[in-house]
Amino acid sequence: MIKGVSRQIIELKDTGSLYYEKAWLVVKPQYASAQESLLLEEARKMLRKADIPSSMKPKRQIRQYILPALAASFIGALVSFLLWLIF
């Protein structure tokens, strides 16, 4: 709830993101008198750093889990075989 507070808001219509259509950013009062071009550039920088929501991130693929497990199993089997040959 806002009670008679005047805030400067920047609206970016072109966010450059597949997921976000618009962004509204509230400018801190101490920077409300800054140049508009500077504020817009800072807003764009911040939006470029923004990531997609975690629920929309692709799940890790199975091969990212299976390949290291297979490699570890192979190395363990190889070491066991070499120790069996030696002793």
Side-chain angles (χ1 to χ4, degrees), residues 7 31-32 34 38 51-52 57 61 63 66 78 84-85:
R7 299 273 183 174
Y31 300 111
L38 176 65
D51 201 2
I52 62 174
K57 288 185 179 179
Q61 295 180 358
R63 69 174 182 238
I66 292 179
L78 182 64
W84 180 75
L85 284 178

Side-chain angles (χ1 to χ4, degrees), residues 2 13 32 48 68 84:
I2 299 176
K13 294 180 182 177
R48 273 184 247 138
W84 180 75

Side-chain angles (χ1 to χ4, degrees), residues 13-23 47 50-53 56:
K13 294 180 182 177
D14 181 23
T15 62
S17 171
L18 296 172
Y19 302 98
Y20 304 110
E21 182 179 332
K22 288 183 185 180
L47 287 175
D51 201 2
I52 62 174
M56 297 177 78

Side-chain angles (χ1 to χ4, degrees), residues 30-42:
Q30 62 265 31
Y31 300 111
S33 62
Q35 292 178 353
E36 186 177 347
S37 60
L38 176 65
L39 292 174
L40 286 172
E41 183 59 34
E42 287 298 317

Side-chain angles (χ1 to χ4, degrees), residues 66-81:
I66 292 179
L67 289 178
L70 287 175
S73 299
F74 178 74
I75 291 171
L78 182 64
V79 169
S80 296
F81 178 72

